[in-house]
Amino acid sequence: MMSSKKETLLNVAEKLFYLHGFHAIGLKRIITDAEIAIMTLYNHFESKDDLIVEVLLRREQRYLEQLRQYADNQSKPIFLNLAEGHARWLMEYENRGCLFLRAKEEFGGDANHIIVQTVNAHKKHVMSLIKKLNPSLSDRELLQFILLLEGSTALAETEDVHNVCRELIHMTEKSFKS
């Protein structure tokens, strides 16, 4: 079980990173907003990079769990379920774009950087989950579906998220019949 101070730290850090970026937010701002001492932060995280990785991993866990929950609906085709789960995520969490891609933009200069590796692993985890949920899926179909998800995430930054989600569902229905 996670301590409440660590939970608070992670929630505050995620919100600040999402709103302002990773480099723009320092540890002092995080501990001030979280109302905790710097030593508390260092009791839980060795560095800012470790904090960022933990924020990303928690976000990934929530996203993948949402996709799994939507995938469980047996009354609709799997692609439609996943598109609806992704659309719900966009409406609730992603109006400023993908936090993972934003992290890669800020840290992408070094492919060996732990944050870049975390982002790359996340994208592979999403693809693996979808393939696991629909084993008959071809590599081409998987890539096409991921393009719909990623494109809708990017477009939700600049267009009305409800319109984007409606089109995501429509395109999924038209493109993936089973």
Side-chain angles (χ1 to χ4, degrees), residues 43-44 96:
N43 284 337
H44 295 289
R96 291 168 133 344

Side-chain angles (χ1 to χ4, degrees), residues 32-164:
T32 299
D33 284 19
E35 299 178 340
I36 56 111
I38 190 74
M39 287 312 299
T40 303
L41 181 132
Y42 283 114
N43 284 337
H44 295 289
F45 305 100
E46 289 184 25
S47 67
K48 183 178 176 184
D49 285 356
D50 288 341
L51 173 62
I52 292 169
V53 167
E54 182 79 17
V55 163
L56 292 172
L57 291 175
R58 278 176 21 118
R59 192 173 183 94
E60 175 184 63
Q61 183 179 22
R62 290 193 319 267
Y63 176 69
L64 294 178
E65 183 55 35
Q66 179 152 323
L67 289 183
R68 280 186 205 97
Q69 287 176 356
Y70 273 78
D72 285 344
N73 181 355
Q74 299 295 316
S75 67
K76 295 181 186 173
I78 187 76
F79 284 122
L80 187 55
N81 290 336
L82 293 171
E84 288 176 355
H86 185 75
R88 174 59 50 203
W89 181 267
L90 289 179
M91 288 189 270
E92 290 180 20
Y93 302 109
E94 296 287 333
N95 64 333
R96 291 168 133 344
C98 176
L99 187 62
F100 290 88
L101 292 181
R102 293 174 73 197
K104 189 158 184 178
E105 288 169 7
E106 290 193 42
F107 294 95
D110 178 5
N112 294 318
H113 195 286
I114 186 67
I115 294 169
V116 174
Q117 292 174 343
T118 302
V119 170
N120 291 341
H122 163 69
K123 296 301 180 180
K124 290 189 183 328
H125 294 157
V126 172
M127 291 175 75
S128 295
L129 173 65
I130 293 169
K131 184 70 172 177
K132 181 180 174 186
L133 292 169
N134 189 354
S136 65
L137 191 62
S138 72
D139 290 344
R140 184 175 186 192
E141 289 170 318
L142 177 61
L143 184 57
Q144 289 171 346
F145 187 64
I146 291 294
L147 282 168
L148 285 177
L149 299 183
E150 293 290 335
S152 63
T153 302
L155 207 53
E157 283 187 78
T158 59
E159 299 296 321
D160 179 79
V161 69
H162 295 94
N163 290 339
V164 169

